[in-house]
Amino acid sequence: MRLNQVTVPVSDVERSVRFYRTLGLELVVHAAHYARFVCPEGGSTFSVHRSDEPVPPSVTVVYFECDALDETVARLMAAGLRFDSPPTDRPWLWREARLHDPDGHPICLFHAGVNRIDPPWRVHEPTRIA
């Protein structure tokens, strides 16, 4: 099994397209009510769809991994994006910077290296679902 995409509701598809393209995602589908992007590395996709209802800010955080986090954040800030927190080393061995998309969805840009999948506290026993 592979995660293909995450889709979030937005109030303005065009505004969201500008935001996510600024983040560095590649636009692959664009319609009045929907847009899908592919991440420049790894092939994962992310999409937005126009909601006919008011879009409440989400509590679900979308994480995008960046190998050069500090440089990426500096480039995005120079492009006009505002961050809630600068790149910060976290106790779980990730370096993270946080911001929100135009509809208030929280976004975390991070670098974890080997600790993304293999932190020192990783469970090494196989988990089986009966």
Side-chain angles (χ1 to χ4, degrees):
M1 182 182 311
R2 290 181 303 279
L3 176 64
N4 176 41
Q5 75 183 42
V6 172
T7 302
V8 298
V10 298
S11 58
D12 183 328
V13 171
E14 294 306 317
R15 180 178 67 175
S16 294
V17 164
R18 287 189 301 275
F19 175 83
Y20 286 104
R21 288 185 76 194
T22 300
L23 273 188
L25 303 184
E26 179 187 338
L27 185 64
V28 294
V29 175
H30 191 189
H33 67 285
Y34 178 83
R36 186 166 23 136
F37 309 86
V38 65
C39 293
E41 296 177 32
S44 296
T45 61
F46 178 82
S47 58
V48 298
H49 72 88
R50 185 185 66 229
S51 175
D52 294 329
E53 303 294 324
V55 178
S58 178
V59 295
T60 301
V61 181
V62 177
Y63 286 76
F64 293 105
E65 189 165 14
C66 307
D67 289 334
L69 178 64
D70 291 66
E71 293 83 358
T72 299
V73 170
R75 177 181 55 79
L76 294 174
M77 289 177 72
L81 296 186
R82 293 180 41 205
F83 280 77
D84 302 323
S85 63
T88 304
D89 292 328
R90 306 302 302 171
W92 44 90
L93 306 178
W94 293 20
R95 187 162 177 78
E96 298 181 349
R98 300 218 175 206
L99 69 161
H100 285 80
D101 81 355
D103 283 289
H105 301 297
I107 305 291
C108 179
L109 304 183
F110 76 101
H111 177 72
V114 298
N115 293 310
R116 182 174 66 82
I117 294 178
D118 196 19
W121 47 83
R122 178 181 173 152
V123 174
H124 289 284
E125 298 173 13
T127 302
R128 298 184 193 266
I129 299 175

